[in-house]
Amino acid sequence: MFRTLALRNANRGIFKGVQMGPPDPILGLTVAYNKDTYENKVNLGTGSYRDNDGKPFVLPCVRDAETKICGNMNHEYAPIGGDATFCKAAATLLFGDNCSAAKEGRLASFQTISGTGGLSVGAHFLNRFAYEEGREREIYVPNPTWGNHGPIFKDANIKPSTYTYYNPETCGLNLEKMLEDLKAMPKGSIVLLHACAHNPTGVDPTQEQWKQISDVCKEMEHYPFFDSAYQGFASGCPETDAFAVRYFIEEGHRMIVTQSFAKNMGLYGNRVGALHIICDSAEEKEKIESQAKIIIRAMYSNPPIHGARLVTEILKSEELTTQWRKDVKVMADRIISMRKALTEELKALGSTRNWDHIENQIGMFCFTGLTPEQVKVVVEKYHVYMTSNGRISVAGVTPANVKHVALAMHEVTK
């Protein structure tokens, strides 16, 4: 008894050295917004789609799929790598019906806990198998990139370094410097690329620019790691948004691709995604599958089933797939229309600043070009909440608040 008490007392201080971690900047913004009592406050921080009334949107195809599967499913464990039917359907959506890697049995696909889970599994796989002995474990990510990319790779003991991507002077792509940086990297580097709707800037390469990026990656023998989180949500056309990924495969790149269904099917809380690895051969695919499953088994054992069943139900049905294409275009078109409305309101207020980048950028997010000092005023005086780097979620702009958002942006930039 006395020995047990002694052990308990000895262990009481085991976590006394733990320091308070920094708050998540996006979640912290939401907390501040929720505390604000101002009637006309606007939240442009969160990355979730909202309809014209600022309400969450459940896609009609998802409601129909839920009705179809309701009462017909068990609650058994999924396999470690996820449901095979889901994996095949997800891969076909992303890579198309004529993907050479799939036809040749060189495509390894795994169901993951959304795109974040796919990135994490991919990062740990790279850490174990992608680096030669003595070579620094490093991945090059665009500057800027999604705020969670860095922590995910650091957690897998991979150092995230940056390459030039965004040009703050034009609020567009700095292609020349990007290509220079790709050429300056050590040969055979791993390079993270956003497939479409770059987060946080909304700046995407054109198809011709993607071809130049592919050429340099081939020349330097770089290994691409694509993050595809917005297929269909960016332009309203899934094929257009998959151009970069499909082109790189056609050009013979071996690569990793992560895929998320959070945005394009509105399945945020269901955590549905996939990880795809383009292999050299069917034999290599089997080896990679075996090792990736070992990582998954230790990390979360197997993925959740409900969201994957919804995606599978939608993609296996011609009727529901057609409805999904309509639904995702509705979301994309609303974002595009709000970009136009915001630009027009700024011009109507007499702003002499060039706001063309708002319409030129694509997807959920927009880099407004506002400075941290200007953002501070926008938040504190006008109660329009955005991240300190000037990024806004265009999904938060509605016909009811666009004038107020434009006024706030105009007042701090005139």
Side-chain angles (χ1 to χ4, degrees), residues 24 37 50 60 90 93 99 134 153 157 172 206 219 231 241 262 322 328 348 370 374 388 392 394 397 399 409:
D24 183 276
T37 57
R50 295 292 182 263
L93 176 67
C99 174
F153 287 106
N157 295 315
T206 64
E219 176 190 337
Q231 185 186 3
D241 293 346
T322 300
V328 78
L370 298 186
Q374 291 169 333
S388 61
I392 64 171
V394 186
V397 182
M409 292 172 61

Side-chain angles (χ1 to χ4, degrees), residues 45 68 72 83 108 132-133 137 155 183 217 247 310-311 314 366 411:
K68 285 179 180 290
N72 293 316
D83 181 75
E132 297 175 355
E133 188 174 347
R137 283 164 166 73
D155 189 62
K183 291 178 181 178
C217 285
Y247 181 79
L310 291 174
V311 173
I314 291 167
C366 170
E411 289 296 324

Side-chain angles (χ1 to χ4, degrees), residues 178-193:
M178 178 184 179
L179 296 178
E180 284 180 13
D181 285 359
L182 288 172
K183 291 178 181 178
M185 294 173 191
K187 207 166 192 176
S189 292
I190 299 172
V191 181
L192 182 84
L193 299 163

